[in-house]
């Protein structure tokens, strides 16, 4: 009998549906036992998000200092053949519940010497978050064997507006003039193919999983146009987070005032620097092509595009 653990958290239910789609073929198999561990923050995060509350969690999310979770309903001493970590991205970082899990003593026990598949459902900027998860996993002695990342269907420009509107109104298409936010439901259903490949590998023999199982299945798609933006964005997020934490505690007025300044700065950045760097990148593309291709291959690993 093979044992698989799925660690998950979702505010809107989107990532849970994705995890269910991937796990269905495993659950259908009598030789595989699937356990689910739902992460529950002690203080639930609001959904829809009040505007300022959304940004209030920004510094601690980026600095990976999460709010605590309720006690984890898991037998940390159990050895799993595979652990699937389903997480969403918050501010180019893993969401706070997943960060809290990765910092827990249970995760240290569960993940040591264990193969891991990460399963990401987000707007479309997941590269830096995955780098942070990779670092944590390697510190915990886990082995990342595959990564699946599904992103919002409406594209980069439109989702700059549609995803925040979804977060602030609770509706995926609050107005007729905005495209629907979120991952395409057909893509969520089609994610079953990953579960089928994992089932095939798990039932082929009883050897530990050492190699990727999802090569050639389109588990990720790296948008090369976003690599530089994510790196620059992440550096700026780190600086601002440290500054905001230094200004005052989470609920203080000083922190709120600092956040307002930051939000204005961020909006100015989006409407000025983002288009200018996009243009620059286009102009410099012939010179940077080889490096971008190398980076693309790196970020696509271990499953590949
Ligand atoms: C506070 C917050 C910050 C977010 N930041 C990002 C981000 O940096 N990159 C991204 O691709 N998506 C981002 N998203 C979108 C989420 O990754 C995800 O698509 C959405 O919250 C739905 O996830 P759910 O499964 O929890 O409902 C953010 C969402 C929230 C709530």
């Amino acid at each position: 009998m093979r044992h698989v653990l799925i660690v998950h958290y979702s505010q809107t239910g989107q990532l849970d549906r994705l995890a269910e789609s991937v796990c269905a073929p495993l659950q259908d198999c009598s030789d595989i036992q699937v356990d689910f561990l739902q992460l529950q923050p002690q203080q639930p995060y609001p959904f829809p998000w009040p505007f300022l509350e959304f940004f209030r969690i920004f510094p601690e999310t980026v600095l990976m200092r999460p709010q605590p979770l309720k006690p984890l309903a898991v037998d940390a001493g159990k050895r799993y053949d595979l652990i699937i970590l389903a997480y969403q991205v918050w501010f180019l970082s893993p969401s706070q519940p997943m960060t809290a899990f990765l910092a827990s003593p249970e995760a240290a026990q569960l993940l040591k010497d264990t193969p891991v598949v990460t399963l990401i459902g987000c707007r479309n900027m997941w590269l830096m978050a995955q780098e942070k998860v990779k670092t944590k996993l390697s510190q915990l002695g886990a082995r990342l064997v595959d990564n699946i990342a599904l992103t919002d269907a409406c594209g980069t420009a439109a989702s700059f507006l549609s995803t925040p509107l979804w977060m602030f109104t609770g509706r995926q298409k609050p107005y007729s003039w905005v495209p629907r936010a979120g991952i395409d439901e057909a893509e969520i259903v089609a994610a079953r193919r990953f579960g089928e490949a994992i089932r095939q590998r798990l039932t082929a023999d009883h050897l530990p999983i050492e190699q990727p199982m999802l090569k050639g299945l389109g588990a990720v798609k790296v948008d090369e146009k976003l690599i530089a933006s994510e790196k620059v964005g992440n550096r700026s997020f780190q600086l601002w987070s440290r500054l905001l934490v230094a200004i005052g505690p989470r609920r203080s007025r000083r922190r709120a005032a600092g956040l307002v300044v930051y939000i204005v700065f961020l909006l100015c950045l989006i409407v000025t620097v983002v288009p200018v760097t996009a243009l620059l990148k286009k102009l410099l593309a012939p010179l940077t092509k080889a490096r971008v291709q190398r980076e693309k291959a790196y970020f696509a690993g271990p499953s590949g595009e």
Side-chain angles (χ1 to χ4, degrees), residues 10-12 15 49 54 88-89 91-92 122-125:
S10 178
Q11 283 205 299
T12 68
L15 190 56
W49 287 82
F54 182 87
Q88 53 287 95
V89 179
F91 301 115
L92 308 182
C122 69
R123 185 177 75 84
N124 74 348
M125 294 180 90

Side-chain angles (χ1 to χ4, degrees), residues 72 143 146 258 262 284:
L72 297 169
R143 222 169 35 249
D146 275 299
Y262 174 64
L284 295 173

Side-chain angles (χ1 to χ4, degrees), residues 120-250:
I120 304 169
C122 69
R123 185 177 75 84
N124 74 348
M125 294 180 90
W126 53 270
L127 304 180
M128 294 300 112
Q130 181 68 354
E131 287 306 294
K132 293 171 198 175
V133 170
K134 278 189 207 169
T135 304
K136 278 273 163 207
L137 290 178
S138 96
Q139 285 166 356
L140 294 169
R143 222 169 35 249
L144 180 68
V145 289
D146 275 299
N147 177 35
I148 305 163
L150 264 61
T151 58
D152 285 12
C154 63
T156 306
S159 64
F160 253 127
L161 183 66
S162 64
T163 309
L165 282 177
W166 179 22
M167 298 296 113
F168 297 138
T169 65
R171 283 175 290 146
Q172 277 181 288
K173 190 173 169 55
Y175 310 110
S176 58
W177 49 270
V178 270
R180 180 188 172 277
I183 301 165
D184 191 353
E185 287 301 320
E187 266 215 71
I188 293 180
V189 173
R192 189 185 162 89
R193 69 187 182 281
F194 304 121
E196 279 158 3
I198 295 171
R199 179 186 58 193
Q200 236 174 34
R201 171 62 194 89
L202 282 171
T203 52
D205 56 41
H206 280 91
L207 296 173
I209 296 163
E210 308 271 3
Q211 300 299 325
M213 301 167 278
L214 308 178
K215 278 199 180 288
L217 291 181
V220 301
K221 189 161 175 13
V222 177
D223 183 344
E224 61 205 54
K225 292 193 287 304
L226 294 178
I227 297 175
S229 313
E230 281 218 36
K231 285 185 181 172
V232 174
N234 189 45
R235 240 169 271 147
S236 147
F237 277 13
Q238 297 283 341
L239 276 175
W240 274 94
S241 297
R242 278 194 210 109
L243 186 70
L244 288 163
V245 165
I247 286 176
R250 212 161 90 96

